[in-house]
């Protein structure tokens, strides 16, 4: 793709959505800024695609983020037009054209002339026979390709280029399907600054900024380790704004006169959120290296980010397929009083035993999987002292079965134990839960040359979009030194004191399929070697052994922010809508690790 003419020296982008269901006030809050050039929205995750596919199967006119229309766009279209703020969103989900049709109707109803562009092509379901003939295996587990009749969706995770083309053609609002989360921001940068498809360091910088914005308020105080320190209550947190220069440097800030905080800690935590190897963060447009990124507080609520590097991306798109894999169901049963944990365990044992016997009587297959978590005892996070003395707990009991009738047997038998249980059973009254279908994730690689994208404006016919595939060019990517922290003589001649990891570090965790990552950032660079030495791969296996299906742990060093990123493989029970876990996305894993003890020199805590 040929480089374009620079439009503005400083590009300002607001991040208004981090998931389907994010707060409705974000767009109005950001539009108070007359100088915002773009507002970007990320609605999609693996779980979201599975849900949208299920919804569209029932009604072909839906399958997109409906609140993008009703809450983000409709109340704010006039203001969007007045400020000339461009909108980029992947709210189209599995049905971007339907989303665009509704939005155009709403624009016309308000007498506005905003141009809406739709990008399609990520939906590979029509070509399922061609894909199946290649016999792809799941890229993480090696599982075989699912049965055709069980598949609900197949979507390629595409990059920024199609969005750039829509902006060049004059789009005011761009709606896409499953582009990668950061591409909505990178596309705005490429369009404005004229970054080319082989400007890998710049593309990596734009992708980093997109990664920082893609979860909305999670960079301005949401889910922050030091949550007690943030300004105002959580309902007042401001949404993030990136002020980007043509060399890829950016200042992260937030909407004026709002709560929350933008600090080194909030930005560093978000940078590590849901990534694997920070030296090889693979995206459709660029292979990123964030290991030496520098984050600097330049003034209150203004943080400078720089130093991302990049190289040529893969020849393939990551494709995520969702398919039916049986049914699941579960319920929470509360117990309180003395020996509450023992009571909950006894109840769970009885509920599963009774339902297994019922399956045999009804000539149904056994459960595919069973799960019991005693929430409140500490047992769901491994052995804890005095866990048996908990006076109030919940037994979360869940099962999987190939047939909804099998799950229904468990739900009926478990709730039917109400008068036969240990004393102290409690729970919020309501209808008995119902079985729900499991939509599992199957990820694989698919050659980019086999995916074609189209661009459609208003009533005009769709036109093909040409994608430029980058060629190998020299880059600074390979020159980075990644030696591990120096742990020699750490404990010689120093007075050690035991503290919780949270006292000396920030942390955040997240998921990718059945993997979880835990990013830890030292509060001072001199503390990082002690963190590295204490929390080895073996130590992480010990802490999370009750969750891990195998002992595969990766540990990555980020000298730029004095950080370490742990990647735990096969740890979420399948993850997302497949898992029976109380935390199927690993969102609390960092909190578990931060509560662990570590010995550090006393003088480093002053």
């Amino acid at each position: 793709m040929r480089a374009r003419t620079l439009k503005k020296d400083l590009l300002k982008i607001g991040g208004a959505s981090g998931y389907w269901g994010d707060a409705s006030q974000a767009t109005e809050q950001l539009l108070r800024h007359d100088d915002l050039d773009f507002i970007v929205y990320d609605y999609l995750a693996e779980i979201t695609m599975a849900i949208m596919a299920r919804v569209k199967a029932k009604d072909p006119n839906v399958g997109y983020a409906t609140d993008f229309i009703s809450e983000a766009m409709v109340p704010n279209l006039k203001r969007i037009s007045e400020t000339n703020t461009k909108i980029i969103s992947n709210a189209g989900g599995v049905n971007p054209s339907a989303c665009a049709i509704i939005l155009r109707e709403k624009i016309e109803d308000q007498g506005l002339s905003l141009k809406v562009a739709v990008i399609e092509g990520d939906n590979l379901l029509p070509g399922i026979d061609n894909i199946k003939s290649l016999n792809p295996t799941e890229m993480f587990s090696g599982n075989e390709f699912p049965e055709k009749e069980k598949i609900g969706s197949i979507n390629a995770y595409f990059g920024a280029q199609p969005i750039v083309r829509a902006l060049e053609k004059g789009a005011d609002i761009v709606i896409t399907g499953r582009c990668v989360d950061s591409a909505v921001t990178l596309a705005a940068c490429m369009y404005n600054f004229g970054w080319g498809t082989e400007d890998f360091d710049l593309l990596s910088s734009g992708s980093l900024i997109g990664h920082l914005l893609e979860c909305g308020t999670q960079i301005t105080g949401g889910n922050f380790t030091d949550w007690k320190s943030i300004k105002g209550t959580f309902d007042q947190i401001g949404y993030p704004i990136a002020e980007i220069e043509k060399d890829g440097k950016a200042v992260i800030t937030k909407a004026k006169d709002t709560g929350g905080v933008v600090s080194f800690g909030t930005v560093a935590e978000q940078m590590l959120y849901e990534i694997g190897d920070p030296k090889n963060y693979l995206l459709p447009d660029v292979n990123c290296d964030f290991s030496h990124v520098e984050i600097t507080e330049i003034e209150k609520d203004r943080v400078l980010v720089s130093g991302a590097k990049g190289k040529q991306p893969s020849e393939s798109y990551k494709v995520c397929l969702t398919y039916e894999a049986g049914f699941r169901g579960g319920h929470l049963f509360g117990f309180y009083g003395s020996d509450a944990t023992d009571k909950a365990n006894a109840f769970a044992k009885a509920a599963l035993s009774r339902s297994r016997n019922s399956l045999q009587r009804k000539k149904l297959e056994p459960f595919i999987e069973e799960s019991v978590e005693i929430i409140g005892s500490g047992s769901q996070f491994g052995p804890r002292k005095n866990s048996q003395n908990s006076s109030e707990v919940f037994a979360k009991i869940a099962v999987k079965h190939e047939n909804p009738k099998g799950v229904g047997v468990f739900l009926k038998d478990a709730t039917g134990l109400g008068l036969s249980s240990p004393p102290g059973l409690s729970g919020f009254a309501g209808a008995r839960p119902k079985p729900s279908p499991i939509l599992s994730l199957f990820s694989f690689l698919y050659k980019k040359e086999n995916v074609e994208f189209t661009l459609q404006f208003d009533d005009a016919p769709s036109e093909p979009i040409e994608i430029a595939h980058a060629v190998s060019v020299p880059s600074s990517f390979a020159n980075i030194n990644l030696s591990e922290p120096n742990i020699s003589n750490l404990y010689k001649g120093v007075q050690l004191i035991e503290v919780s990891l949270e006292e000396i570090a920030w942390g955040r965790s997240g998921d990718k399929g059945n993997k979880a990552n835990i990013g830890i950032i030292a509060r001072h660079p001199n503390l990082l070697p002690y963190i590295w030495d204490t929390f080895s791969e073996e130590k992480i296996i010990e802490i999370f052994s009750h969750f891990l299906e195998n002992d595969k742990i990766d540990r990555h060093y980020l000298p730029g922010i004095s950080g370490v990123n742990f990647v735990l493989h096969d740890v979420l029970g399948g993850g997302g809508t497949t898992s029976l876990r109380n935390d199927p996305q690993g969102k609390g894993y960092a909190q578990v690790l931060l509560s662990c003890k570590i010995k550090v020199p006393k003088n480093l805590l002053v």
Side-chain angles (χ1 to χ4, degrees):
M1 183 179 291
R2 199 162 39 86
R4 288 160 294 279
T5 304
L6 174 70
K7 294 174 173 58
K8 295 187 71 172
D9 290 332
L10 187 69
L11 183 67
K12 295 186 179 181
I13 303 177
S17 175
Y19 65 99
W20 187 17
D22 203 346
S24 59
Q25 70 264 29
T27 305
E28 187 275 332
Q29 183 193 94
L30 288 167
L31 282 171
R32 294 176 197 156
H33 295 253
D34 294 334
D35 58 349
L36 277 189
D37 301 295
F38 286 86
I39 298 179
V40 296
Y41 301 76
D42 172 38
Y43 285 96
L44 304 181
E46 286 84 356
I47 288 178
T48 316
M49 295 298 286
I51 295 171
M52 287 179 170
R54 186 170 143 198
V55 170
K56 188 185 177 186
K58 296 179 180 178
D59 183 349
N61 295 314
V62 291
Y64 58 88
T66 52
D67 49 355
F68 172 69
I69 303 294
S70 61
E71 298 184 5
M73 293 292 97
V74 171
N76 298 297
L77 285 170
K78 183 178 179 182
R79 180 65 175 162
I80 290 168
S81 180
E82 291 171 345
T83 59
N84 294 315
T85 306
K86 291 184 180 292
I87 304 296
I88 307 176
S89 172
N90 60 13
V94 298
N95 204 351
S97 60
C99 181
I101 289 170
I102 297 298
L103 181 56
R104 288 167 182 150
E105 291 176 358
K106 301 301 182 183
I107 291 171
E108 185 177 357
D109 290 344
Q110 295 189 29
L112 301 172
S113 58
L114 296 168
K115 294 182 67 176
V116 178
V118 179
I119 295 167
E120 295 186 291
D122 62 294
N123 177 17
L124 304 184
L125 193 59
I128 186 172
D129 290 332
N130 290 333
I131 293 173
K132 188 172 175 59
S133 68
L134 299 174
N135 196 29
T137 56
E138 213 283 332
M139 60 189 295
F140 301 114
S141 67
N143 290 341
E144 294 184 358
F145 199 77
E147 297 175 29
K148 179 178 175 180
E149 59 272 15
K150 294 185 176 181
I151 294 173
S153 66
I154 312 177
N155 293 85
Y157 284 36
F158 66 92
Q161 288 191 54
I163 304 172
V164 175
R165 182 59 178 155
L167 295 171
E168 289 177 335
K169 294 273 288 186
D172 298 301
I173 301 173
V174 183
I175 296 173
T176 79
R178 199 20 171 147
C179 68
V180 293
D181 305 350
S182 56
V184 291
T185 296
L186 176 59
C189 295
M190 293 177 70
Y191 166 73
N192 182 75
F193 295 125
W195 295 348
T197 55
E198 295 170 11
D199 295 328
F200 296 132
D201 287 352
L202 292 174
L203 297 182
S204 182
S205 297
S207 297
L208 171 60
I209 299 162
H211 176 67
L212 294 175
L213 291 180
E214 72 191 35
C215 289
T217 53
Q218 205 164 254
I219 196 173
T220 59
N223 289 318
F224 184 36
T225 299
D226 297 343
W227 62 276
K228 291 183 179 179
S229 69
I230 68 170
K231 172 189 172 185
T233 58
F234 285 97
D235 66 309
Q236 299 171 339
I237 289 179
Y239 278 75
I241 296 170
E243 299 175 358
I244 309 161
E245 300 179 29
K246 60 183 177 182
D247 63 358
K249 294 178 182 176
V251 170
I252 307 298
T253 184
K254 63 184 179 69
K256 297 174 184 176
D257 302 319
T258 58
V261 63
V262 179
S263 67
F264 173 91
T266 66
V267 177
E269 280 192 18
Q270 180 55 30
M271 188 180 87
L272 293 188
Y273 180 64
E274 293 187 343
I275 69 170
D277 181 355
K279 302 182 298 298
N280 290 284
Y281 185 57
L282 307 178
L283 295 171
D285 299 292
V286 62
N287 182 357
C288 304
D289 183 350
F290 297 157
S291 64
H292 280 67
V293 165
E294 294 184 357
I295 298 173
T296 308
E297 291 187 25
I298 55 177
E299 58 182 89
K300 187 179 185 316
D301 292 326
R302 291 182 64 80
V303 175
L304 176 66
V305 179
S306 63
K309 300 295 181 182
K311 69 175 180 180
Q312 182 181 2
S314 161
E315 297 178 347
S316 300
Y317 288 121
K318 177 184 177 182
V319 177
C320 285
L321 173 157
T322 62
Y323 66 99
E324 295 179 5
F327 294 81
R328 66 175 182 164
H331 197 41
L332 289 166
F333 301 89
F335 285 89
Y336 62 101
S338 62
D339 300 320
T341 301
D342 289 341
K343 295 172 183 175
N345 275 313
F347 179 87
K349 182 178 179 180
L352 289 170
S353 176
R354 176 177 286 191
S355 54
R356 290 188 206 111
N357 291 333
S358 293
L359 290 178
Q360 287 184 331
R361 290 196 308 272
K362 296 177 183 291
K363 301 188 183 309
L364 293 171
E365 294 293 320
F367 295 122
I368 298 171
E369 184 182 342
E370 302 170 355
S371 172
V372 175
E373 295 175 276
I374 309 301
I375 300 169
S377 69
S379 61
Q380 72 270 31
F381 298 123
R384 294 289 188 272
K385 292 180 180 179
N386 301 321
S387 65
Q388 297 301 313
N389 294 330
S390 300
S391 59
E392 186 173 11
V393 300
F394 278 89
K396 188 198 74 62
I397 318 171
V399 299
K400 289 182 185 178
H401 199 277
E402 63 181 24
N403 192 314
K405 293 180 180 178
V407 177
V409 165
F410 161 75
L411 293 170
K412 184 177 187 300
D413 283 354
T415 54
L417 274 172
L419 301 181
S420 307
S421 77
L425 176 64
S426 64
F428 185 73
R432 188 167 71 216
K434 296 179 180 179
S436 61
I438 297 170
L439 288 176
S440 286
L441 182 67
F442 183 97
S443 301
F444 62 98
L445 298 177
Y446 193 60
K447 291 288 187 182
K448 289 178 179 177
E449 62 193 38
N450 295 329
V451 183
E452 297 179 350
F453 296 97
T454 60
L455 174 64
Q456 194 267 326
F457 273 94
D458 299 328
D459 296 328
S462 297
E463 60 180 77
I465 300 174
E466 182 180 348
I467 301 294
H469 299 296
V471 298
S472 181
V473 297
S475 135
S476 56
F477 192 98
N479 299 324
I480 294 175
N481 181 10
L482 284 175
S483 58
E484 296 181 354
N486 183 5
I487 60 173
S488 62
N489 300 319
L490 277 187
Y491 307 103
K492 186 176 181 180
V494 295
Q495 182 183 357
L496 298 176
I497 184 172
E498 188 175 68
V499 297
S500 69
L501 180 59
E502 185 172 348
E503 292 183 58
I504 66 165
W506 295 280
R508 183 168 298 175
S509 55
D511 69 306
K512 282 296 178 186
N514 198 26
K515 297 181 183 181
N517 90 294
I518 307 172
I520 298 294
I521 308 100
R523 294 179 186 268
H524 189 282
N526 291 343
L527 291 164
L528 181 61
Y530 294 90
I531 296 172
W532 185 269
D533 187 53
T534 301
F535 295 101
S536 61
E537 289 95 333
E538 292 75 18
K539 184 64 174 179
I540 298 298
I541 290 170
E542 177 188 333
I543 295 169
F544 292 94
S545 60
H546 49 293
F547 285 155
L548 288 165
E549 297 172 26
N550 59 51
D551 290 346
K552 188 175 181 182
I553 302 289
D554 300 326
R555 185 174 61 158
H556 303 285
Y557 175 40
L558 293 95
I561 60 169
S562 301
V564 55
N565 191 45
F566 301 98
V567 180
L568 289 65
H569 296 250
D570 303 322
V571 70
L572 298 173
T577 54
T578 302
S579 179
L580 297 181
R581 305 276 181 82
N582 185 60
D583 185 4
Q585 295 176 278
K587 303 301 184 186
Y589 284 15
Q591 302 307 304
V592 175
L593 189 56
L594 288 170
S595 69
C596 294
K597 299 298 183 181
I598 181 173
K599 290 183 179 181
V600 296
K602 186 176 182 179
N603 65 294
L604 292 181
L605 300 179
V606 178

